[in-house]
Amino acid sequence: MATNGAAIDMANLTKHYPGGAEPAIDHLTMSVPKGQVFGILGPNGAGKTTTVAILCGLLSPTHGEVHINGHNLKLEPSAIRKVIGYVPQDIALYPRLTARENLQFFGNMYGLRGPLLRSRIDHYLNQFGLREHADKLVDQFSGGMKRRTNIIAGLLHQPKILFLDEPTVGIDVQSRSLILQLLEEINQQGTTIIYTSHHMEEAQQFCSGLAILDHGQIIKEGAPDTLVRENEASANLEDLFLNLTGRSLRD
Ligand SMILES: Nc1ncnc2c1ncn2[C@@H]1O[C@H](COP(=O)(O)OP(=O)(O)OP(=O)(O)O)[C@@H](O)[C@H]1O
Ligand SMILES: [Mg+2]
């Protein structure tokens, strides 16, 4: 497989869960250039979380090959762990610890210690509007505050590639707009961002490239504006999405 300096190269990536009638993802082949904000879009059950979990090394594919920053995922997992950050779809924080204690824990897991870790935690708590809440239990946080803390946990070590699974679900407009603005800044500083979403309008504005998944397969891929332009029957990305994936419920 070519490893042409892309952030991510995947070929024929397939996952069958035990007992699943259909594969959750089915021969996904795509490449994401470095520097992009790349959106993985699709209805419930399309295979977004499965794809991201495999790319982050949390789940083994049934078959297929992945290169992250030129490293083979199967052969060089530790090299890959150093360059990626992962923000899961479900909040993964300790409710009985404060925001600062949670971030100390996650920073330690990424090998950060001492004054560097403390200054990174302060920096991001401040940026994400949580300075006043640093020493409160996460249990007492609103959904938006938990989501913002969850994101900081994945980027404290300043990864080259940041994966975020639905980072803007279940939060108000203020939190969402702050998160998108900060992620854009992080991208401008050189981090490739891979994110999954259901929000078509948001993806159209935020992503430089995207893939639409349905039933575990890529049904469209490209720059959002190009996709809309090339599909004249669709007024915007949401319209294109519905035309491609249909209107029936998936869950
Ligand atoms: N641990 C599992 N065991 C069996 N099947 C699973 C498991 N996790 C996911 N699936 C199935 O795999 C398919 C893809 O699921 P996945 O969670 O990747 O979709 P998604 O696009 O992230 O959906 P959502 O938008 O709801 O988060 C679905 O049919 C789902 O039911
Ligand atoms: Mg998911």
Side-chain angles (χ1 to χ4, degrees):
M1 190 198 328
T3 52
N4 47 8
I8 295 168
D9 259 321
M10 61 179 110
N12 294 314
L13 200 63
T14 300
K15 177 71 184 180
H16 284 269
Y17 286 106
E22 303 289 328
I25 55 168
D26 190 5
H27 292 87
L28 299 188
T29 297
M30 68 174 168
S31 185
V32 178
K34 284 181 182 160
Q36 283 220 336
V37 175
F38 191 86
I40 301 178
L41 311 180
N44 288 131
K48 303 178 296 295
T49 295
T50 303
T51 306
V52 169
I54 292 174
L55 295 178
C56 292
L58 301 168
L59 195 63
S60 310
T62 310
H63 41 247
E65 212 175 299
V66 178
H67 285 82
I68 308 263
N69 258 7
H71 296 290
N72 185 307
L73 180 63
K74 206 167 168 185
L75 304 178
E76 306 166 86
S78 56
I80 291 175
R81 261 198 298 276
K82 287 192 188 116
V83 297
I84 65 167
Y86 172 59
V87 178
Q89 176 169 358
D90 297 320
I91 302 287
L93 299 168
Y94 294 98
R96 304 299 301 158
L97 297 182
T98 67
R100 192 189 299 283
E101 286 165 347
N102 267 283
L103 295 173
Q104 271 157 355
F105 172 81
F106 287 103
N108 286 159
M109 285 217 318
Y110 285 115
L112 296 170
R113 306 258 181 283
L116 174 66
L117 175 57
R118 281 199 294 279
S119 73
R120 290 260 176 101
I121 290 174
D122 283 341
H123 170 76
Y124 287 115
L125 283 172
N126 197 19
Q127 244 197 341
F128 280 79
L130 292 165
R131 191 177 48 188
E132 317 286 299
H133 307 288
D135 299 306
K136 287 186 191 155
L137 296 183
V138 162
D139 215 11
Q140 296 163 2
F141 275 15
S142 70
M145 288 157 69
K146 285 183 189 158
R147 187 60 72 187
R148 273 150 36 220
T149 312
N150 206 43
I151 294 175
I152 300 176
L155 58 74
L156 269 178
H157 62 301
Q158 302 186 334
K160 292 195 172 72
I161 306 175
L162 180 61
F163 293 89
L164 304 110
D165 197 358
E166 312 239 10
T168 57
V169 158
I171 55 177
D172 63 19
V173 179
Q174 285 80 0
S175 256
R176 186 200 299 195
S177 125
L178 177 68
I179 288 172
L180 292 176
Q181 180 209 318
L182 293 173
L183 290 176
E184 216 155 74
E185 284 174 29
I186 288 164
N187 172 251
Q188 277 156 12
Q189 289 155 15
T191 299
T192 304
I193 292 184
I194 317 288
Y195 106 124
T196 73
S197 182
H198 291 113
H199 292 284
M200 294 302 131
E201 208 184 312
E202 172 188 302
Q204 191 163 359
Q205 288 171 8
F206 183 51
C207 297
S208 41
L210 56 86
I212 299 179
L213 286 192
D214 198 14
H215 301 296
Q217 297 183 327
I218 299 170
I219 52 171
K220 273 285 173 202
E221 198 194 334
D225 293 346
T226 314
L227 289 181
V228 174
R229 213 171 31 242
E230 282 172 355
N231 293 272
E232 284 164 8
S234 309
N236 53 38
L237 196 59
E238 177 146 330
D239 211 23
L240 172 63
F241 183 82
L242 283 171
N243 286 337
L244 290 170
T245 60
R247 288 173 188 274
S248 63
L249 293 176
R250 302 311 172 84
D251 51 2

